[in-house]
Amino acid sequence: MTDHVSAPHSRAAIPLAPSLDPTLAEAHLPRRFRPLDRRIVGIALAAMTLGAVVAGVARGLTALIGAITHLAFYGQWGTSLVSPAGHRLGAWVIAVPVIGGLVVGVMARWGSRAIRGHGIPEAMEQILLNESRIPPRMTWLKPVSSAVAIGTGGPFGAEGPIIATGGALGSLLGQLAHVTADERKTLLAAGAAAGMAAVFAAPVSAVLLSIELLLFERRARSLIPVALAAFVGTGVRYVLEGSGPMFPMPDVAAAAPAALAVYVLLGALIGVVGVGITRLCYGIEDAFEKLPIHWMWWPALGGLAVGVIGHFQPLTLGVGYANITAAIGGTFGVSALLVLCVAKLASWSIALGSGTSGGTLAPLFTIGSTLGGAIGLGVAQAMPWLHVDPRMAALVCMAAIFAGASRAFLTSVVFAFETTLQPHGLLPLLGACAAAYLVSGLMMRNTIMTEKIVRRGVRVPSDYSADPLDRIAVGEACTREVVTLRADQTMADLRAWLARGEDISRHQGFPVVDAQGHAIGVLTRRNLFDATVPDTARVGSLVTRPPLAVREDNSLREAADHMVTAGVGRLLVLGAGDATRMVGILTRGDLLQAHGRRLREARERSRHLRPAG
């Protein structure tokens, strides 16, 4: 502590070690941060129940899509997922997606405009701006509208709507229960993860998708419920549909070194393609915005394009999971792969840009796997010494295109493994997805998931790192040299001392202590120079609230939260082993200096070792 001594009867600061009353110290310290508490048990149980419900909803939605497909294309009843490609409607098939688009447009106009699009950006927006509160009507509007769009030939997968519906159910549960906004976000992410896990039997990638695109964090209190929900969702799928991989493919051997290099280059190329696809989709969406007709009619126009393309290339219609399996299984030839790739891209991008209801995952996987398979076949025939396996090329490009378009890097790698159960694919997948991620990050600021909401002014986190304030102890950042004021001192003496402008009087805040040396409050220079306070007043009379304190072994994050909660800019710092002994003071400026340290570590370049010469 620093004290100021002037004339015997006009000391502005006192030469003693200030302290706090023990009871007061404990009452005004911040709560210690705990990674987990008992509430996590209740949230986890709710997430597991939610996972079972969402898995059932996923099964119901796929059955609804199957029923609409059977009726629309085959005129019969059935609930299994069937490809529309075997229809016998001839040119009349063009009308089916148009009718579906009309129905979706009506539902969007008089139900909720939020059903338009693929669902994940809308969920992100609710998390970032609306404390994860999704309107309850979305729990049925989104799945029904998506079932209509996909069942009538829309080139989307069922997983996007199911992820959105699972998130809406989680949000609804979080709005009905007495929970915090953070816990509601966890339930939303848990529902989305359960939906993805129930469709693809891919629980780990479902958790990673939630982390990378919805939670924007990896904390135990959110990770555990989400993981348990995905676990239950996958378990229910195993019971209902078996435990086989979603996209079975023949076993592939470990890649040769030369082939690994090719796969990484393929990943970089597909990263460029992912950027191009993102720009294409939003360019088409912008073009629809310029049409002189109400947006309700846009899905019907998109459906017209889907129908025309589907008439000439029937494999583009519907969910297309079988196309992915065929592409990574080496069933198609080069020409078939390229035709399907271009046709699927055209059909899906136009339909998505028109604002109909559908997802992005399956179409991207189809485009990536067909393009990768075609390139892999070409390389294998032209340069057999590289030992490139076309099936592996299709697999890595399937994952890389999603990594490049969405930047969900870890999700892409693990998803391709979980849905095929090919352990030798992990290393090529890692290299290819990293290359796609790198290229995408250099070429494009936003992603296919974030571009829409960024245009609306929403700021989306892109990097998830440990909080720098949580890594620094208060004792490392606080000011140890503290000047204290006596409660019985007159304002006249104090103002005279301040007017002299000595270095130790230039602080912006001063603890005030009583006759026993106990700190009773903190005053700022603004308090001390208040013209309404007479010179005869005692310093202690200006104190209106007891001091707030923090221990020197608390983190700066705990201290910052304490400041925000209390609405103060300064905290007394107490010793780690003695909660009544004041050892310093922490200000907002000290917190900013700690952030400055983080910026220096990130930006300043230096060389610490030089090569011997």
Side-chain angles (χ1 to χ4, degrees):
M1 292 294 171
T2 297
D3 60 281
H4 168 69
V5 182
S6 57
H9 298 291
S10 63
R11 290 188 304 169
I14 55 176
L16 51 81
S19 62
L20 282 185
D21 176 84
T23 303
L24 188 66
E26 291 299 327
H28 295 280
L29 285 171
R31 291 188 299 175
R32 289 281 189 177
F33 171 75
R34 297 181 62 187
L36 294 174
D37 53 34
R38 291 181 181 178
R39 286 190 60 84
I40 189 64
V41 177
I43 298 298
L45 290 174
M48 294 175 72
T49 304
L50 178 66
V53 172
V54 171
V57 171
R59 180 62 180 269
L61 180 56
T62 55
L64 180 59
I65 293 172
I68 295 174
T69 304
H70 277 281
L71 290 172
F73 290 94
Y74 300 102
Q76 62 187 25
W77 175 255
T79 58
S80 60
L81 273 182
V82 60
S83 172
H87 71 85
R88 297 182 180 179
L89 297 176
W92 285 105
V93 72
I94 297 173
V96 177
V98 175
I99 295 171
L102 287 172
V103 174
V104 171
V106 169
M107 293 182 67
R109 182 167 185 179
W110 283 285
S112 173
R113 189 170 179 172
I115 67 172
R116 304 170 70 225
H118 47 98
I120 293 180
E122 290 74 20
M124 295 169 72
E125 185 173 23
Q126 295 303 314
I127 288 171
L128 294 169
L129 296 184
N130 198 32
E131 295 186 341
S132 307
R133 294 189 294 256
I134 297 176
R137 63 181 179 275
M138 291 299 294
T139 57
W140 67 270
L141 276 174
K142 184 64 178 179
V144 172
S145 63
S146 298
V148 171
I150 299 169
T152 54
F156 307 105
E159 71 292 329
I162 291 172
I163 291 171
T165 303
L169 286 170
S171 173
L172 176 62
L173 177 59
Q175 293 175 72
L176 293 173
H178 191 66
V179 297
T180 66
D182 268 358
E183 291 167 338
R184 187 163 50 250
K185 177 178 72 172
T186 297
L187 290 172
L188 187 158
M196 181 175 176
V199 174
F200 290 120
V204 179
S205 54
V207 174
L208 292 173
L209 180 79
S210 295
I211 292 172
E212 293 184 306
L213 297 182
L214 296 174
L215 289 171
F216 308 111
E217 64 180 21
R218 196 205 66 80
R219 295 191 301 167
R221 63 182 62 242
S222 55
L223 181 62
I224 292 172
V226 170
L228 289 174
F231 166 79
V232 172
T234 305
V236 172
R237 176 194 161 82
Y238 283 175
V239 171
L240 297 177
E241 302 182 39
S243 58
M246 182 67 182
F247 305 128
M249 62 181 294
D251 290 339
V252 293
L260 284 174
V262 173
Y263 298 142
V264 172
L265 291 175
L266 271 179
L269 174 63
I270 293 299
V272 177
V273 173
V275 172
I277 288 175
T278 301
R279 292 175 176 168
L280 173 65
C281 289
Y282 285 102
I284 293 173
E285 185 175 302
D286 292 340
F288 272 98
E289 293 280 354
K290 297 175 183 178
L291 292 178
I293 58 175
H294 194 278
W295 56 260
M296 180 186 77
W297 305 105
W298 298 352
L301 292 178
L304 179 61
V306 169
V308 171
I309 295 171
H311 175 55
F312 293 101
Q313 179 51 265
L315 290 179
T316 61
L317 297 170
V319 294
Y321 294 148
N323 297 335
I324 299 173
T325 301
I328 63 177
T331 303
F332 292 142
V334 173
S335 58
L337 288 168
L338 289 176
V339 169
L340 179 56
C341 175
V342 174
K344 187 74 173 185
L345 173 60
S347 177
W348 167 70
S349 59
I350 294 173
L352 188 67
S354 72
T356 193
S357 182
T360 59
L361 275 72
L364 283 174
F365 295 148
T366 301
I367 296 165
S369 61
T370 51
L371 179 58
I375 296 174
L377 282 170
V379 173
Q381 292 173 8
M383 294 173 280
W385 63 87
L386 292 175
H387 304 290
V388 170
D389 187 334
R391 299 168 301 174
M392 184 72 81
L395 179 64
V396 299
C397 290
M398 177 186 86
I401 199 165
F402 188 64
S406 71
R407 308 228 183 102
F409 166 57
L410 293 176
T411 301
S412 304
V413 174
V414 178
F415 175 86
F417 166 70
E418 286 189 301
T419 54
T420 61
L421 299 182
Q422 294 294 322
H424 291 307
L426 276 172
L427 186 58
L429 285 167
L430 186 66
C433 289
Y437 191 0
L438 172 63
V439 170
S440 172
L442 292 174
M443 294 182 63
M444 181 171 62
R445 182 177 182 86
N446 302 312
T447 72
I448 199 168
M449 300 297 181
T450 63
E451 177 69 23
K452 179 182 293 186
I453 58 176
V454 167
R455 290 181 177 189
R456 298 173 188 163
V458 180
R459 183 172 177 83
V460 183
S462 58
D463 294 313
Y464 318 129
S465 59
D467 186 346
L469 294 183
D470 203 36
R471 295 182 291 162
I472 303 175
V474 168
E476 298 178 43
C478 70
T479 301
R480 297 283 179 171
E481 300 295 323
V482 182
V483 177
T484 58
L485 307 178
R486 295 198 326 270
D488 62 353
Q489 186 177 8
T490 65
M491 292 300 296
D493 287 343
L494 178 59
R495 286 166 175 167
W497 172 66
L498 291 171
R500 290 198 292 272
E502 300 177 16
D503 288 342
I504 60 173
S505 70
R506 293 176 181 173
H507 295 289
Q508 296 301 311
F510 303 91
V512 179
V513 297
D514 60 18
Q516 289 73 42
H518 291 154
I520 61 172
V522 177
L523 297 178
T524 65
R525 296 181 72 89
R526 181 177 179 180
N527 300 135
L528 301 177
F529 283 109
D530 187 348
T532 63
V533 179
D535 286 343
T536 57
R538 301 289 178 177
V539 171
S541 66
L542 275 65
V543 175
T544 58
R545 62 187 299 177
L548 295 177
V550 64
R551 289 189 179 90
E552 60 181 337
D553 59 346
N554 278 112
S555 70
L556 289 185
R557 167 50 52 209
E558 291 168 327
D561 291 348
H562 199 31
M563 285 183 182
V564 171
T565 302
V568 300
R570 293 163 186 80
L571 297 172
L572 303 184
V573 179
L574 307 179
D578 183 355
T580 65
R581 183 176 60 89
M582 191 168 73
V583 299
I585 190 168
L586 183 75
T587 68
R588 284 186 291 237
D590 297 325
L591 296 178
L592 290 176
Q593 286 186 359
H595 268 296
R597 169 180 160 182
R598 177 185 65 84
L599 292 177
R600 288 192 300 273
E601 290 175 352
R603 297 177 180 176
E604 291 185 3
R605 303 173 184 175
S606 62
R607 175 181 290 171
H608 296 280
L609 295 175
R610 297 182 180 276

